[in-house]
Amino acid sequence: MKTLLLATIALALIIIPLSNRTASGASPKKVVAVSYAPVLNTPDFAGSFSGKVQLDPCRGVRPIEFVALPGTLFSVEGEQEQNGVKVLRVTSNDYPYPSKTGLFVDTRFVEAAGPAAQERRPHLPEQVEIQKRLLAALGKPYVWGGNVKDGVPLLRRYYPQGDPLSGVDCSGLLYQATDGFTPRNTSTLIGYGEAVAVAGLSAEAIAAKLRPLDLLVWNGHVMVVLDENSIIESRMGCGGKPSGVMITPRLELVRQIMKTRKPADSFPKGSAGARSFVVRRWFPAGGR
C-alpha cells in the first residue's frame, strides 16, 4: 500500500507541472508579452533563428505564426527546454487560430502576469494614421508571420545571427497599421466587417465602389484600399514574381484579380473559394 501511495504521488508531481493547473482545476497561469514577441508553431526557437535556416515561405519553411504585440496575454499550457532555450506552449485570444503542433513563445519575451491581468485592449487609430502606417511599410519585404515592419528588437539581442523578422505578410501589414485591432488571419478577414455588394459587377464598377481601408480579400490573401487612387498589399512573390509591400492603381489591381477570380458578396465555401474574392468594409462610416 505504501509503495502504491508513493507511486501515485510521484505521478501527480509529473502531471501537475505539465498542465500548469492547480489541484482544484484553476485556470492555467498567465504571462504577458513585455515586447514584440514572435509566436512559433515549433518549440525550436534556437534552430529557427540560428541563421542557418532561411525562413522561406515559398519553400514551406514557415515556423512563424505571428508577432504578438506588447501587452498580449497568454495562457500557459506547458513548459520545456529545447537546444538551451526555455519555451512556453501557449494560447492567446489575440490569435485564436488552431495549430496542429501548438503555439510557442520564448520565455525571455514574456513575464508572469498577475491574477488581475487583462487582455490587451487595442485602440483603433484614426483613418489618416492607419493610411500613414500602411504607406510607411512600402518597400518592406514579405515576411511570413511578420507584422512589425522594422523587425523585433529582442530577436537581434537573443538571436543576433537569425532573421529579425523585418517585414510583414499580407494581413500583418493591416495588423501593424491598426495596432492589432483587426484580425490577424485572412480566414477571419473574409467575413470581417460588412460585405460590399460586388457580385456580377465589372472591374470598373467595383473600383468605383471602393472606399479607403476597404479590404479585397480571399482565404489566403488580403489587399487594403489605401486612398482614392491606389491599393496596398504585401505579396509573397514566389517564383521570381514581385515580392514585398507594393502599391498598385485601384482599377489596375481589380482587373488583375478578376483575371483569375470572380467577385462575390460572401466568400463561398469549398472549392469555389479558390476562384473568388470579396470586398469587406470594416472601418466606421465617416472615419474617425
Side-chain angles (χ1 to χ4, degrees):
M1 178 63 74
K2 183 177 180 180
T3 302
L4 178 60
L5 179 60
L6 289 174
T8 303
I9 293 173
L11 180 60
L13 289 174
I14 294 172
I15 293 174
I16 291 173
L18 290 176
S19 66
N20 285 296
R21 291 180 180 272
T22 65
S24 62
S27 298
K29 68 179 181 180
K30 308 281 186 177
V31 294
V32 61
V34 296
S35 69
Y36 293 117
V39 178
L40 276 57
N41 51 36
T42 170
D44 190 12
F45 274 72
S48 298
F49 296 112
S50 65
K52 299 177 181 179
V53 176
Q54 182 181 3
L55 306 182
D56 184 355
C58 294
R59 295 188 298 113
V61 186
R62 305 172 178 179
I64 316 300
E65 289 289 323
F66 84 119
V67 180
L69 302 184
T72 298
L73 190 65
F74 296 100
S75 296
V76 179
E77 297 187 333
E79 182 175 349
Q80 66 186 86
E81 183 172 323
Q82 185 161 340
N83 295 325
V85 178
K86 291 184 178 180
V87 177
L88 301 176
R89 179 168 179 158
V90 297
T91 58
S92 174
N93 290 333
D94 272 21
Y95 194 81
Y97 305 102
S99 170
K100 293 180 180 180
T101 54
L103 300 176
F104 302 88
V105 65
D106 185 324
T107 57
R108 294 171 292 184
F109 291 79
V110 296
E111 65 181 10
Q118 297 182 342
E119 299 286 346
R120 184 181 65 84
R121 295 181 179 179
H123 172 72
L124 181 64
E126 301 283 342
Q127 176 179 315
V128 66
E129 177 63 20
I130 295 175
Q131 292 170 308
K132 179 180 177 181
R133 294 181 185 184
L134 289 169
L135 192 58
L138 184 64
K140 292 293 183 179
Y142 181 95
V143 172
W144 182 277
N147 50 260
V148 184
K149 67 180 180 62
D150 295 321
V152 178
L154 286 185
L155 279 176
R156 293 187 173 95
R157 179 191 301 179
Y158 298 131
Y159 303 98
Q161 304 302 318
D163 191 328
L165 305 183
S166 300
V168 296
D169 61 20
C170 62
S171 56
L173 173 65
L174 179 64
Y175 193 78
Q176 174 184 261
T178 63
D179 273 342
F181 185 91
T182 47
R184 187 58 185 83
N185 280 12
T186 57
S187 59
T188 302
L189 288 171
I190 56 175
Y192 187 58
E194 298 180 354
V196 176
V198 293
L201 297 183
S202 66
E204 291 77 9
I206 293 173
K209 271 194 162 192
L210 298 177
R211 296 179 186 173
L213 303 187
D214 282 354
L215 307 179
L216 289 80
V217 59
W218 57 85
N219 195 358
H221 191 56
V222 62
M223 296 146 282
V224 187
V225 178
L226 181 62
D227 51 35
E228 298 298 329
N229 303 307
S230 56
I231 295 174
I232 192 168
E233 61 180 318
S234 184
R235 292 188 185 180
M236 190 186 304
C238 299
K241 296 179 181 178
S243 178
V245 181
M246 61 191 71
I247 290 176
T248 308
R250 178 187 296 189
L251 179 56
E252 178 183 333
L253 186 55
V254 176
R255 285 173 172 167
Q256 287 179 14
I257 296 170
M258 291 182 66
K259 289 179 179 179
T260 56
R261 292 178 177 270
K262 294 182 179 180
D265 292 343
S266 60
F267 196 76
K269 297 180 180 180
S271 60
R275 303 184 300 275
S276 305
F277 75 95
V278 294
V279 177
R280 305 298 301 188
R281 182 162 294 155
W282 64 275
F283 198 78
R288 292 183 67 254

